[in-house]
Amino acid sequence: MKVVILAGGFGTRISEESHSKPKPMIEIGGQPILYHIMKIYSYFGFRDFIICLGYKGHVIKDYFASYVLHTSNVTFDFRSGDEKIIEPRSVEPWQVTLVDTGPKSMTGGRLKRIQKYVGHEPFMLTYGDGVADINIEELVEFHRNHGKLATLTAYQRDDRFGALEVSDNGTITSFAEKEKGGAGWINAGFFVMQPEIFDYIDSDDTVLERDVLSRLANEGQLMAYPHRQFWHPMDTLRDKNQLEQLWVSGTAPWLHLVEGGEHK
């Protein structure tokens, strides 16, 4: 199952760092948060990635183009112009497809642009700016068992994010993009979707959250996978600093997914 990552936004709320790089390339513990997210999926055996590029997408391309070089020992012979990797380090068994989805496309529009790379199969989707100690295997199994078109990971937090109303059987009956009010279940990303989802996207201007998820909720086709452990986005510099502190202290709840090797 392929993993699609939205990595094309401007990151205006963390402009202190995003003025020179896309938000998914802001580093936590010396690696872009994008790398952390990919390692979470890779731990559970999902290693085929499609990354939706937009704002400063060349920075992400450069990162992957030089990834093996930067993680290996290398000899440069300036007399001949040769470059030789003399001690290659073990790298992740990933396939990474980088797709320019437009500088101003909305989240749904970016998703529509990578349809041909996904094909006619279920796929996973997440945002390029949030980490969690989520069990991806259980998420996928939950999605396969309920038979609806889409699953999103629901998390209880404050009211900065899209609020959900969830029935007793897990069906999402309402999706509001940024509902005012107290803490409740919110959209934490980490989606699993059927390929029919592309039929709900009209153009680059389609907003996944407002136009697609709301419609799916109204039709009873959107399910919530409850995640009650750790999830944290990187919307602001304060968020970034909190995640950095967790990582440096060795207490990051997703640490075992990134550094613990491959689960399967």
Side-chain angles (χ1 to χ4, degrees):
M1 188 180 290
K2 294 180 174 66
V3 180
V4 179
I5 303 177
L6 296 169
F10 290 98
T12 53
R13 296 184 66 190
I14 192 169
S15 59
E16 298 92 340
E17 296 210 25
S18 65
H19 70 279
S20 62
K21 66 185 74 171
K23 185 162 66 166
M25 292 303 293
I26 296 173
E27 293 185 354
I28 302 297
Q31 286 284 6
I33 193 170
L34 176 62
Y35 169 87
H36 290 254
I37 295 166
M38 294 170 72
K39 288 288 285 188
I40 291 169
Y41 282 100
S42 182
Y43 179 85
F44 293 99
F46 299 99
R47 300 164 187 146
D48 191 346
F49 298 95
I50 302 169
I51 301 178
C52 301
L53 306 179
Y55 172 71
K56 294 189 181 296
H58 67 278
V59 176
I60 298 178
K61 288 182 179 179
D62 290 345
Y63 172 78
F64 286 107
S66 302
Y67 186 77
V68 174
L69 181 65
H70 288 174
T71 56
S72 303
N73 293 334
V74 60
T75 295
F76 294 98
D77 188 334
F78 293 104
R79 296 164 298 181
S80 65
D82 290 341
E83 170 189 312
K84 182 180 180 182
I85 294 176
I86 57 174
E87 188 179 341
R89 305 281 176 85
S90 176
V91 295
E92 290 73 17
W94 295 346
Q95 176 170 297
V96 184
T97 301
L98 305 172
V99 182
D100 182 359
T101 56
K104 297 181 179 180
S105 299
M106 297 293 101
T107 46
R110 294 193 189 284
L111 183 57
K112 184 71 172 181
R113 287 200 181 200
I114 55 87
Q115 180 177 2
K116 65 181 179 181
Y117 301 103
V118 170
H120 301 286
E121 301 175 355
F123 65 97
M124 286 182 280
L125 168 71
T126 198
Y127 304 106
D129 62 356
V131 290
D133 59 345
I134 184 171
N135 188 315
I136 301 294
E137 281 183 339
E138 292 182 359
L139 168 64
V140 171
E141 187 65 20
F142 175 85
H143 176 80
R144 286 172 174 162
N145 287 338
H146 65 60
K148 301 295 180 67
L149 290 184
T151 299
L152 66 74
T153 295
Y155 184 79
Q156 280 191 308
R157 199 179 152 164
D158 58 37
D159 62 358
R160 285 192 294 159
F161 305 93
L164 315 174
E165 291 182 7
V166 184
S167 68
D168 291 340
N169 70 356
T171 301
I172 296 174
T173 58
S174 175
F175 184 100
E177 188 172 5
K178 288 195 178 178
E179 187 81 9
K180 298 290 185 181
W185 290 103
I186 55 93
N187 169 25
F190 291 96
F191 303 91
V192 187
M193 295 180 168
Q194 296 301 116
E196 290 84 357
I197 199 78
F198 293 112
D199 297 334
Y200 288 71
I201 304 172
D202 297 323
S203 68
D204 282 351
D205 295 328
T206 300
V207 177
L208 176 69
E209 299 77 11
R210 181 190 67 207
D211 302 320
V212 179
L213 298 183
S214 295
R215 181 178 167 190
L216 289 169
N218 291 336
E219 296 177 2
Q221 288 293 330
L222 182 60
M223 296 290 286
Y225 173 77
H227 179 63
R228 294 180 172 87
Q229 287 77 50
F230 177 85
W231 171 80
H232 204 298
M234 191 180 64
D235 274 352
T236 65
L237 186 60
R238 179 174 179 268
D239 291 330
K240 188 265 186 188
N241 291 336
Q242 288 176 336
L243 292 172
E244 181 72 23
Q245 289 170 6
L246 286 171
W247 189 265
V248 170
S249 69
T251 61
W254 74 99
L255 176 67
H256 67 289
L257 303 179
V258 176
E259 293 192 341
E262 303 295 321
H263 176 59
K264 60 181 294 187

